[in-house]
Amino acid sequence: MTDHVEQTVGVEEPAAVVLPPPADPAREARAAGAARLVEEARAKGVNLVGPDGLLADSTKRVLERGLEVEMSEHLGYEKHAVEGRNGGNSRNGTRSKTVLTDIGPVEIEVPRVRDGTFEPTTIRKRQRRLEGVDSMVISLSAKGLTTGEISAHLAEVYGAQVSKDTISKITDAVVEEMAGWLARPLDRVYPVIFIDAIHVKVRDGQVANRAFYCAIGVTVEGKRDILGIWASPGAEGAKFWLGVLTELKNRGVADACIVVCDGLKGLPDAIEVTWPRALVQTCVLHLIRGTFRYAGRQHWAAMARDMRPIYTAGNEADAKERMVEFFETWAERYPAVRQLWENAWAEFVPFLDYDAAVRRVIYSTNAIESLHARMRRATRARGHFPTEQAAMKCLYLVVRSLDPTGKGATRWMNRWKPALNAFAITFDGRLFPTDQ
C-alpha cells in the first residue's frame, strides 16, 4: 500500500473586517432634525436665523410644547380631554410673553389655569431670559465689555433690548458664588506659590488706585490654582500681604516650598512669619522690568541680552561675575540699576541652586502675569469702578472664564512631572502627607 502524504498548502488568512463605529441614535436624531429644519427653511424661502427665522419659530414651538406637557401633568389630563370637564380647575387660555433666548427674543403663549396654581419650570413665572443668555452676558463681561457695550451687542445681533441695569443684575448673580470661592478650603502644601498685586481705579469719594492682591499656587498634581483675590484699602504693602498669607494659612495651607514674589520691602518677612520653612524667590521678570524702568527704551534689547547670562548662570559665583560685567557696561549710565540688583540679590540667588526643571517653574511669575494681563484687559475698558465690590466682581468673572476647554491646564500638567521629581528631592518629606 502506498502511503499518501498530504502536503499542507499555505492558505491566506481572510482580511480583517473593519466594523463601522456603533450608531448613536440620539446624535443621528439630532442630525436628522437639523437637516429637516434646513430643508423646511429652503422650502418656505425664509431665513434660518434672525427674528423671523425658522430657528426662532422652532424655539417657540419647543417651549410652548414643554409648557403644555407641564400643564397636562399639573391637571392630570390632556388638553380638550373629557376628564377635565367640571373638574373644578381647568385651563384658562394663555397669555403672551416674550423671552430672550440664545437666538434672540421669542414671543410664546403661556397656558394658564383658573386657580393660578400652575408653576412651570420650562419658563418660570416672571422669567424673561433663558439661562444661556445669562451665561452669554457673563462671558461678554469677563472679556472686558462694559454693560453699555453688552446691551448694544444684544440689540445689534439679536434685536433684543436689554437695559444696562438688567445686565448688571445678571452679573450680580455671581457675587454669592464668588464669596464661596474665596472661602473654600485649600491644599495642605503647594510646591510653589506666586503672589503679586494688580492696581485698579475705584471711586471712593474720589477715583484712586486700589491694590487687588492675587495668589496662584501650583499643586503637587501640577495644577495652577488661583487661591484668591483680596482688595486692599490703599496701595500694595507688606502689612496687608501678611493678612493675606495668614488667611491662606487659616484656609489650610500649612506649608509652601517656594514663594515667588516681587521685591516689595517687608514681604520676605511676612512670608517667613507665615511659613517659616518657605524659600523666598524674587521674581526674575520683576527684576528685568525694574531694570528697564530706569533705562531708555533704545537700550532695552541690549540690556536684556546682557542680563540673560546672570539668571541662566550655573551657580552664584558665575552669576555674580556676569552681574559685574553687566554693571561695567550699564551702571555708569544707569546707576539705579546697580542698586536694584544689589538689593534684590539675597532673594534672587536661591533660584541658582535649583534643578533646571524647578527653574522652569519659578523662572518668573508668568502664570500670574498672564492672569493680570487678562484682568487689565477687562478693567481698562471700564476706566474705573463705582465700588470695591464692582471691581472684585469684574476680576472674579475673569478668573471664572479662564481656560474654558481645560487644554491649558492639561499642557501645564504634562510638563510638571520632571519638576515634581526635582521638588520631591530638594524638599524631601514636605510634599505629601505620607512623607511626614
Side-chain angles (χ1 to χ4, degrees), residues 216-278:
I216 296 180
V218 180
T219 70
V220 292
E221 293 82 18
K223 178 184 176 184
R224 288 179 292 183
D225 186 11
I226 300 173
L227 307 181
I229 307 170
W230 299 265
S232 167
E236 183 179 8
K239 184 178 180 181
F240 192 85
W241 264 123
L242 178 60
V244 169
L245 299 178
T246 302
E247 181 184 322
L248 291 177
K249 188 172 184 178
N250 292 339
R251 287 167 58 194
V253 184
D255 190 16
C257 298
I258 300 174
V259 180
V260 183
C261 59
D262 62 9
L264 182 65
K265 186 177 181 181
L267 184 51
D269 296 332
I271 295 169
E272 185 178 358
V273 168
T274 310
W275 299 302
R277 295 196 293 172

Side-chain angles (χ1 to χ4, degrees), residues 352-433:
L352 303 172
D353 294 332
Y354 302 134
D355 182 271
V358 176
R359 284 196 190 191
R360 278 193 292 271
V361 175
I362 64 172
Y363 170 72
S364 70
T365 51
N366 242 358
I368 210 161
E369 289 291 335
S370 175
L371 172 64
H372 283 177
R374 295 283 295 272
M375 288 179 169
R376 289 189 188 97
R377 191 187 314 163
T379 57
R380 282 174 180 165
R382 290 163 172 78
H384 67 271
F385 293 87
T387 63
E388 177 186 291
Q389 187 185 58
M392 280 287 289
K393 182 177 72 173
C394 175
L395 298 179
Y396 174 67
L397 286 173
V398 173
V399 171
R400 198 173 181 267
S401 68
L402 294 174
D403 195 20
T405 64
K407 291 181 179 178
T410 302
R411 284 196 301 270
W412 174 274
M413 292 171 71
N414 288 341
R415 296 194 296 263
W416 170 246
K417 291 302 180 182
L420 176 61
N421 281 266
F423 271 102
I425 294 171
T426 305
F427 302 96
D428 185 27
R430 290 173 61 182
L431 293 187
F432 302 99

Side-chain angles (χ1 to χ4, degrees), residues 117-150:
T117 57
F118 180 46
E119 297 284 345
T121 57
T122 302
I123 298 291
R124 299 184 302 276
K125 284 186 176 180
R126 293 175 290 279
Q127 182 182 357
R128 293 291 179 180
R129 303 179 307 275
L130 297 188
E131 291 181 358
V133 176
D134 287 10
S135 299
M136 183 195 310
V137 168
I138 290 172
S139 175
L140 291 172
S141 181
K143 287 176 171 58
L145 273 69
T146 64
T147 54
E149 289 169 337
I150 295 173

Side-chain angles (χ1 to χ4, degrees), residues 242-316:
L242 178 60
V244 169
L245 299 178
T246 302
E247 181 184 322
L248 291 177
K249 188 172 184 178
N250 292 339
R251 287 167 58 194
V253 184
D255 190 16
C257 298
I258 300 174
V259 180
V260 183
C261 59
D262 62 9
L264 182 65
K265 186 177 181 181
L267 184 51
D269 296 332
I271 295 169
E272 185 178 358
V273 168
T274 310
W275 299 302
R277 295 196 293 172
L279 292 177
V280 180
Q281 173 63 55
T282 294
C283 169
V284 178
L285 189 58
H286 275 87
L287 267 177
I288 295 172
R289 287 182 175 173
T291 303
F292 289 161
R293 188 180 299 121
Y294 295 112
R297 183 180 290 270
Q298 70 274 20
H299 296 136
W300 285 7
M303 294 182 81
R305 186 174 57 250
D306 292 346
M307 279 187 285
R308 184 173 177 80
I310 302 176
Y311 58 81
T312 57
N315 53 59
E316 182 180 354

Side-chain angles (χ1 to χ4, degrees), residues 47-56 103:
N47 292 326
L48 193 61
V49 295
D52 300 319
L54 194 59
L55 276 179
I103 59 172

